[in-house]
Amino acid sequence: MPGSPCIRHGDVHRTYDRNSIMTDTALIDAVDISRRDPLSGQMLLRQTRFTLNAGDRVAITGPSGSGKSVFLRALALLDPLDSGHIDWHGKPVERATIPRYRRNIAYIRQRPAILEGTVEDNLRYPFSLKAYGDVQFDRPRAASLAAQAGRGSDFLDKRASDLSGGEAQIAALIRVLQLAPEVLLLDEPTASLDPESSHAIEGLVDAWFADDRQPRASVWVSHDPAQAKRMSERHLTMRGGILDEAAAPRHVNEDPAQ
């Protein structure tokens, strides 16, 4: 496939061929970004260059505490950078464009924040925010996403307090997907979930990715090598705050010591 990757101490440059269409559209270009612990001064993310093109599906694995979540939060501009900058569609993200950037670059964490009320109340919440004042809640669309996750027509009416951990994560993901983001940054969204819920989350992301109405890409952090292989076309590792090329993920039943 034309367009080979270039890796230099965590640099990632890749063009991905989806549905036999080659694209070089850079959705996100992180240039020498880094993060330090504001209290200890410890380097959490060493200077990293990373380019995410339209069509990319990236998985990141690595030990706990290696900087995976720090990296995703930095990409989402949820935490301040200590160096470097992020370009979006070839232009630096300025303070005035951060709300629009965050609308398109969605961060999904391991333990979602669920509000009181029903699932529908949770799905309606983003539309009460200024950033989404130009769009309205679409219940049939939300119900369709719930159906893709194997949930019935009554799912939107369930009380948030009655949701299992898997159902809460499904609701949180639907809350994001209904807003049609360009990029999903998934921070171990299926950790501690049962297999059925994990597969439902994976299915929702696959269905979102298959919708070609706009350029899109994903970065999935996972501790499960089999999941990383299923949900990506490119595998990276994070160790000691350094993002780098990875060998092919091992099968979940393989002995990592071998």
Side-chain angles (χ1 to χ4, degrees):
M1 179 169 59
S4 58
C6 175
I7 306 290
R8 299 188 305 278
H9 301 293
D11 296 12
V12 181
H13 299 279
R14 180 174 181 268
T15 297
Y16 170 59
D17 180 3
R18 182 159 65 99
N19 297 333
S20 301
I21 299 176
M22 184 64 68
T23 176
D24 58 1
T25 303
L27 299 181
I28 299 176
D29 196 7
V31 182
D32 296 333
I33 62 172
S34 69
R35 276 278 293 154
R36 289 182 181 272
D37 185 300
L39 297 179
S40 69
Q42 177 186 357
M43 186 65 75
L44 303 176
L45 176 67
R46 299 184 182 276
Q47 283 197 344
T48 299
R49 301 193 68 186
F50 174 81
T51 298
L52 188 70
N53 292 316
D56 280 351
R57 300 188 73 169
V58 178
I60 301 176
T61 59
S64 296
S66 61
K68 302 184 298 298
S69 295
V70 173
F71 174 63
L72 283 198
R73 290 183 60 86
L75 283 186
L77 290 179
L78 295 176
D79 298 323
L81 302 175
D82 286 288
S83 71
H85 67 275
I86 291 178
D87 292 345
W88 179 38
H89 290 277
K91 297 180 180 179
V93 181
E94 307 290 350
R95 182 179 296 273
T97 58
I98 286 178
R100 192 157 57 92
Y101 178 82
R102 289 176 177 164
R103 173 172 172 168
N104 285 276
I105 313 302
Y107 175 77
I108 296 93
R109 59 186 183 179
Q110 180 178 335
R111 294 179 178 85
I114 298 295
L115 308 175
E116 293 183 2
T118 65
V119 170
E120 181 171 332
D121 291 334
N122 276 266
L123 302 185
R124 285 183 176 274
Y125 172 72
F127 300 96
S128 68
L129 304 177
K130 183 178 179 180
Y132 299 100
D134 60 326
V135 288
Q136 295 182 335
F137 175 66
D138 183 345
R139 183 180 169 97
R141 168 65 174 152
S144 174
L145 289 168
Q148 290 176 13
R151 293 321 187 252
S153 58
D154 61 340
F155 182 67
L156 301 190
D157 299 318
K158 291 192 69 169
R159 303 294 301 178
S161 57
D162 294 333
L163 297 178
S164 67
E167 289 175 326
Q169 188 63 280
I170 288 169
L173 184 54
I174 292 173
R175 186 169 57 194
V176 168
L177 295 182
Q178 68 178 346
L179 302 172
E182 286 184 346
V183 174
L184 293 182
L185 304 176
L186 301 122
D187 194 357
E188 299 191 62
T190 63
S192 303
L193 298 188
D194 60 88
E196 180 184 355
S197 297
S198 295
H199 291 151
I201 296 294
E202 292 180 9
L204 274 173
V205 174
D206 281 336
W208 167 81
F209 209 92
D211 187 341
D212 289 324
R213 286 177 294 180
Q214 68 182 66
R216 52 192 52 184
S218 64
V219 182
W220 190 305
V221 167
S222 178
H223 277 297
D224 182 349
Q227 181 181 71
K229 188 172 183 178
R230 284 194 305 271
M231 300 308 296
S232 73
E233 295 290 340
R234 182 165 185 75
H235 181 209
L236 309 175
T237 58
M238 180 74 80
R239 292 183 181 276
I242 298 175
L243 187 67
D244 208 349
E245 183 86 25
R250 291 177 176 270
H251 188 274
V252 70
N253 290 325
E254 287 186 295
D255 182 354
Q258 291 181 350

